[in-house]
Amino acid sequence: PRMWLFGYDEYSNPLKPNEVFEDVLKEYREKTVTVDPHPLTGTPTVSIHPCKHSLVMKKVVDGWLERGITPVVDNAIFVFLKFISGVVPTINYDFTTDMEF
């Protein structure tokens, strides 16, 4: 999936892409995370490239396999969100759900 990031300031005004970038870790800016026209609105929006998602997900799954853990497809969204939280650490994530392997 491609993740599109859009936000609002404390006065409910839409953030400009460069303001959204302030919440993205520097090493991901203009590499994994870029400004592209949103496919539905055409508005310049910050997005996280899906081509990088599969590489990260594969690395995580390979790590599980090396440790003898069988991946469960139902946990994929949680792993994906964990990846996103590493790119955009200022978003609040709820990781209270236990992941059973």
Side-chain angles (χ1 to χ4, degrees):
R2 187 168 194 167
M3 178 72 90
W4 297 91
L5 304 173
F6 188 82
Y8 296 90
D9 66 16
E10 62 272 12
Y11 304 107
S12 299
N13 297 314
L15 295 175
K16 295 178 178 118
N18 63 318
E19 294 172 314
V20 175
F21 263 157
E22 292 174 9
D23 290 330
V24 175
L25 292 176
K26 190 174 183 172
E27 59 265 22
Y28 293 109
R29 295 178 196 164
E30 302 298 336
K31 297 173 191 151
T32 305
V33 182
T34 60
V35 176
D36 299 299
H38 190 278
L40 299 177
T41 66
T43 304
T45 309
V46 173
S47 71
I48 301 175
H49 290 257
C51 60
K52 305 294 183 183
H53 300 176
S54 62
L55 297 173
V56 172
M57 296 291 282
K58 179 160 179 18
K59 186 175 180 179
V60 170
V61 170
D62 287 346
W64 288 349
L65 292 172
E66 287 174 9
R67 295 189 339 243
I69 299 170
T70 303
V72 179
V73 175
D74 298 349
N75 291 335
I77 190 69
F78 296 110
V79 175
F80 174 72
L81 287 175
K82 200 72 164 155
F83 162 62
I84 298 301
S85 72
V87 175
V88 189
T90 57
I91 295 176
N92 292 323
Y93 300 89
D94 180 1
F95 289 117
T96 57
T97 301
D98 285 336
M99 291 177 55
E100 294 183 23
F101 298 101

